[in-house]
Amino acid sequence: MWRRSLGRERMYRRERSIPLRGSAAALSNNLSVLQLPASDLMHFGVVHGPSAQILSSAPGGMPLAQRQLQVKVGVGVSPPLITQVHWCVLPFRVLLVLTSHRRIQMYESDGSLMVYWHALDSGDASSAQTLFARGIAASVHFICVGTWSGRILVFDIPAKGTNIVLNEELAGHQTPITDIATERAQGQDGVADMVTADDSGVLCVWRSGTVFTLLTRIPGFGVPCPSVQLWQGMVAAGYGNGQVRLYDATTGALHVQISAHARTICALDLAPEVGKLLSAAEDTFVHIWKLSRNPESGSIEVEHCHGECVSDTQLCGARFCDPSGCSFAVTGYDLAEILRFSSV
């Protein structure tokens, strides 16, 4: 069940934008945001072709530092295209993960030092397939990365140092991974704490641990699922037809289906403290939704809270900037800035 808010005043206003050295590439989920509790600085990561831009800004949006990262290759070889950049917040450290058409690289949180790299294995790829990694998320002391083959690589991360190892490969998908989302299970046994999505729209719900366990497989319906989120037993999935669908993570049952956008959804994000869901799409719109469960029936309910149009812009990334959903940021193709919005 979902409700549209009527007669409500605007919840967010436009703030100072952050300039980029180049526009964001037309990739789904092309924005990562990191705010550490001990710092007032906001960190942003955006992909532009063979490079990733890492920016830091003061609370008012004043840019303070920029760094560009590329995939390390041999002398005289053009660097491959980057597919995603994402900060992984583990209980004991924060790593910046970069995926590309050739390898996966992990850095200290500011991008200053590469601590690990993993070459993509072409052994099981046909000559017609393009190798790439895409979809990044942290789960307990693991970092999970999706691949073109549909497999998910699970890396075991130490509390410090470079002794990162490939722990296992998860097989649940037949087409390339598009996105991965996780949620801390807070010690509850048997609780779903990771969801993966692919190009055919299939979703797999997992329980992390020494060995990851596949709990539920939600069938696709012929439409890609570029972005997915997980919150309190709910799976939120954004599809290529503009729909947002909400499933029960335990049973895989569909609870809510919303025709949220007119074109492909490029990003979903969640503000976990309040249950706000952000959706952005190629139709120039960003929407904010409020998720909840009916205390009597247990069914998932949704209320539309806010809509924002970024005129003449093909959006490609959007993220909340804080866990309470008081601000969010947006990137767009051919737009050389990060747009920022904050609550009124």
Side-chain angles (χ1 to χ4, degrees):
M1 173 181 175
W2 78 278
R3 304 183 298 273
R4 181 177 295 275
S5 58
L6 299 173
R8 177 173 292 182
E9 297 181 357
R10 288 178 59 84
M11 294 182 62
Y12 296 86
R13 65 170 179 269
R14 179 88 171 264
E15 299 285 1
R16 176 176 180 167
S17 299
I18 300 173
L20 295 170
R21 291 179 180 174
S23 68
L27 301 168
S28 297
N29 306 307
N30 192 3
L31 176 63
S32 186
V33 176
L34 173 69
Q35 184 184 34
L36 298 175
S39 172
D40 289 333
L41 298 182
M42 191 76 65
H43 306 278
F44 301 90
V46 181
V47 173
H48 175 71
S51 65
Q53 300 179 63
I54 310 302
L55 307 94
S56 299
S57 73
M62 174 69 72
L64 299 178
Q66 289 199 29
R67 185 189 301 272
Q68 287 206 356
L69 301 177
Q70 290 188 328
V71 175
K72 303 294 184 181
V73 290
V75 177
V77 180
S78 299
L81 294 176
I82 295 174
T83 53
Q84 192 176 3
V85 60
H86 184 71
W87 276 283
C88 288
V89 181
L90 300 153
F92 41 79
R93 70 192 295 189
V94 178
L95 292 181
L96 178 66
V97 182
L98 183 153
T99 58
S100 72
H101 284 261
R102 188 165 297 176
R103 53 197 260 180
I104 300 161
Q105 296 182 175
M106 300 185 188
Y107 297 81
E108 295 293 356
S109 61
D110 61 357
S112 61
L113 178 65
M114 184 167 65
V115 297
Y116 178 80
W117 64 271
H118 176 86
L120 298 178
D121 182 7
S122 60
D124 58 351
S126 69
S127 58
Q129 284 183 304
T130 301
L131 277 64
F132 62 88
R134 180 180 60 192
I136 308 165
S139 178
V140 197
H141 57 91
F142 301 103
I143 288 179
C144 303
V145 181
T147 66
W148 83 99
S149 67
R151 293 179 180 173
I152 299 105
L153 308 180
V154 180
F155 298 94
D156 195 345
I157 311 297
K160 59 182 179 179
T162 61
N163 190 28
I164 297 170
V165 296
L166 178 61
N167 188 64
E168 66 173 315
E169 297 186 21
L170 306 180
H173 296 271
Q174 303 300 317
T175 59
I177 301 299
T178 53
D179 197 21
I180 303 175
T182 57
E183 181 184 31
R184 291 189 184 181
Q186 299 177 341
Q188 302 177 58
D189 293 336
V191 172
D193 56 5
M194 185 173 83
V195 59
T196 54
D198 68 25
D199 266 343
S200 70
V202 170
L203 307 178
C204 288
V205 182
W206 309 81
R207 182 180 68 245
S208 66
T210 305
V211 175
F212 280 61
T213 303
L214 178 61
L215 300 178
T216 309
R217 193 171 189 270
I218 302 172
F221 52 98
V223 178
C225 178
S227 197
V228 69
Q229 289 292 325
L230 179 64
W231 182 72
Q232 294 189 0
M234 308 178 202
V235 174
Y239 291 92
N241 61 359
Q243 287 185 357
V244 172
R245 293 189 173 196
L246 299 175
Y247 301 91
D248 185 283
T250 302
T251 65
L254 175 64
H255 280 243
V256 180
Q257 178 178 307
I258 308 168
S259 296
H261 294 272
R263 298 189 66 183
T264 298
I265 290 176
C266 65
L268 294 182
D269 197 24
L270 264 164
E273 291 183 357
V274 293
K276 286 182 180 178
L277 175 71
L278 177 154
S279 66
E282 295 178 0
D283 62 359
T284 76
F285 277 93
V286 179
H287 290 294
I288 308 292
W289 316 83
K290 180 70 173 67
L291 308 184
S292 61
R293 278 192 184 269
N294 186 299
E296 296 180 359
S297 65
S299 62
I300 299 171
E301 298 183 345
V302 185
E303 180 183 3
H304 182 262
C305 301
H306 179 80
E308 191 77 41
C309 177
V310 183
S311 300
D312 304 319
T313 302
Q314 178 183 322
L315 302 182
C316 53
R319 292 284 177 185
F320 283 117
C321 298
D322 59 274
S324 59
C326 293
S327 59
F328 65 91
V330 177
T331 58
Y333 176 64
D334 208 23
L335 186 67
E337 57 184 348
I338 299 173
L339 305 181
R340 298 169 54 249
F341 300 85
S342 65
S343 57
V344 176

